[in-house]
Amino acid sequence: MQDEFSRERDKMVEEQIAARGVTDPKVLAAMGKVPRHLFVSEAMKAYAYQDEPLPIGEGQTISQPYIVAYMTEVLGLQGGEKVLEVGTGSGYQTAVLAEIARDVYTIELVEFLSLKAQEVLGGLGYPNIRFKIGDGTTGWKDDAPYDAIVVTAAPGSVPKALRDQLKISGRMIIPVGVEFQELVLVVREPQTFKEKRLLPVRFVPLVSIH
Ligand code: SAH
């Protein structure tokens, strides 16, 4: 997409994402295409392509670009997948997923944030995103199982309901922890779940209302 931020976006991909080791061409292309400045407020637009998370209202944040790219790459998406996202927030990660996967299901607890994300993503014309307002800790059962799950708020431990909604060989990336958090990759195997700790991070807490 050509817009007044194209050059900044290309620079972001090169200096923040590729330079730190993200190599998947699908992820780099999606990060180079999604107009991140449309997912932040007018006041934050000038900072949209900087190497940091930004406030999006309601005490929530849009994740740092590198973290969005990293979490997406770890899922190993090829293009035909059905993906669940918990924590729509601004909808930015949702757009990156929708560029690559076949279908994206996204859940947000805060109604105002979901409606705002629906407006922005609707304006960009993604036909493959479905939205739900509510507690994503229990997943989205009707359309389970998923090839991949992305959680963008941190629980104290991996919610069982989310694990159970992964297909065999399905992958989930999730920040886990209260004071100290790490990104954890969960891979479902026929009889078990394999967990791998990847990277220290800081996410807002996953609020559970159950
Ligand atoms: N991926 C987002 C990051 C948003 S921050 C982006 O790129 O903008 C995490 C989001 O998770 C917040 O919007 C928060 O309201 C939401 N959240 C917290 N607990 C939740 C829950 N139990 N279910 C669904 N969403 C939740």
Side-chain angles (χ1 to χ4, degrees):
M1 202 178 296
Q2 282 299 317
D3 55 53
E4 78 256 52
F5 290 100
S6 301
R7 283 188 53 194
E8 276 193 61
R9 198 159 49 244
D10 289 347
K11 210 162 159 257
M12 170 191 86
V13 172
E14 198 178 310
E15 295 175 3
Q16 301 171 30
I17 299 171
R20 287 197 183 108
V22 172
T23 55
D24 184 335
K26 292 185 294 310
V27 176
L28 296 174
M31 297 298 298
K33 184 171 169 201
V34 177
R36 185 170 160 95
H37 60 281
L38 300 183
F39 294 85
V40 300
S41 66
E42 209 49 55
M44 289 293 150
K45 273 202 168 43
Y47 309 101
Y49 294 94
Q50 300 210 354
D51 194 12
E52 58 193 3
L54 295 172
I56 54 171
E58 308 281 327
Q60 304 301 333
T61 55
I62 176 172
S63 308
Q64 181 190 5
Y66 168 66
I67 293 294
V68 173
Y70 181 84
M71 290 173 77
T72 308
E73 181 175 58
V74 157
L75 297 174
L77 301 174
Q78 300 301 316
E81 294 85 356
K82 181 160 81 167
V83 181
L84 173 67
E85 179 190 35
V86 177
T88 314
S90 67
Y92 177 68
Q93 167 90 69
T94 322
V96 171
L97 294 168
E99 286 287 339
I100 303 172
R102 191 190 65 219
D103 290 305
V104 181
Y105 292 76
T106 185
I107 312 177
E108 170 57 51
L109 190 59
V110 179
E111 181 178 30
F112 165 84
L113 292 175
S114 178
L115 295 177
K116 185 89 196 44
Q118 291 184 40
E119 188 186 312
V120 176
L121 292 164
L124 290 170
Y126 289 102
N128 55 340
I129 304 174
R130 261 160 273 185
F131 299 88
K132 188 162 168 167
I133 297 168
D135 182 2
T137 312
T138 50
W140 191 328
K141 280 215 187 77
D142 299 355
D143 290 286
Y146 300 94
D147 298 289
I149 300 180
V150 184
V151 184
T152 67
S157 60
V158 179
K160 183 174 181 310
L162 292 179
R163 278 193 345 186
D164 291 345
Q165 289 176 28
L166 276 177
K167 284 185 193 168
I168 307 286
S169 301
R171 295 158 84 85
M172 167 163 50
I173 185 78
I174 178 168
V176 178
V178 181
E179 260 146 55
F180 176 75
Q181 299 173 359
E182 277 177 322
L183 277 180
V184 175
L185 174 67
V186 181
V187 181
R188 181 167 201 171
E189 297 190 345
Q191 309 297 339
T192 181
F193 295 91
K194 283 266 154 65
E195 288 191 9
K196 195 167 155 193
R197 295 146 167 238
L198 298 177
L199 194 74
V201 282
R202 268 197 82 89
F203 277 80
V204 298
L206 183 77
V207 179
S208 182
I209 53 176
H210 282 85

